[in-house]
Amino acid sequence: MAGKSDFTAQEWEDLRKGATGAGLLVSVSDRSFFDTFKEASSLAKHVKGARDSDSQLVKELASEGGTGFGMIASPNEVQGGTFESLKASVATLQAKAPDELESYRAFVLELAESVGKAAGGGDAAEAETIEKIKSALS
């Protein structure tokens, strides 16, 4: 099992930013004022629940605060940063902790899907974004 101490600061930031960024990305893919509150709550709830994961990596990621994105990050910044971080995370895990890769993928996808379902089941834009996230994780 791998944890934070097994990665450089940049690698850890990519792992964290990729995971939380996936949830943010789904949320901003279809911006609705009231949906945003439900989606933010879902993101926080899913991350908090992951603190009980069997994966040490996921457990430690879920214990970290923040998203890695600033409060005024544009949707384009969230998209670019998330996909860049997800791709870097997959490469890092393949090289350093291949046994944690599936746990990380599952955590990220469950997080994105829970945000997509938070405001009534998602829509075409959110579904498309989730497919892009899946692609970035492969």
Side-chain angles (χ1 to χ4, degrees):
M1 286 200 177
K4 185 175 183 176
S5 63
D6 297 305
F7 302 96
T8 67
Q10 182 60 54
E11 290 167 340
W12 189 255
E13 180 64 15
D14 282 334
L15 288 162
R16 187 173 69 89
K17 196 172 185 179
T20 56
L24 286 173
L25 188 56
V26 171
S27 182
V28 301
S29 68
D30 182 36
R31 301 180 95 183
S32 169
F33 181 73
F34 293 110
D35 289 354
T36 300
F37 291 110
K38 293 176 189 174
E39 291 165 345
S41 175
S42 177
L43 180 105
K45 184 178 180 179
H46 188 81
V47 169
K48 184 178 178 183
R51 292 177 184 165
D52 296 327
S53 174
D54 291 336
S55 164
Q56 184 66 30
L57 175 77
V58 171
K59 200 180 295 190
E60 289 185 34
L61 285 169
S63 296
E64 297 263 324
T67 63
F69 294 95
M71 290 295 291
I72 58 171
S74 72
N76 286 339
E77 289 172 312
V78 173
Q79 180 175 345
T82 297
F83 289 132
E84 183 179 306
S85 291
L86 287 174
K87 289 175 184 176
S89 295
V90 168
T92 296
L93 290 171
Q94 286 172 332
K96 288 188 164 186
D99 56 318
E100 291 285 4
L101 183 55
E102 281 310 310
S103 294
Y104 181 77
R105 283 180 175 144
F107 173 55
V108 172
L109 286 175
E110 289 168 7
L111 181 61
E113 290 169 349
S114 73
V115 170
K117 293 175 185 172
D123 66 5
E126 291 172 337
E128 181 180 326
T129 300
I130 290 170
E131 287 304 313
K132 289 178 182 178
I133 291 167
K134 286 179 183 177
S135 178
L137 286 167
S138 57

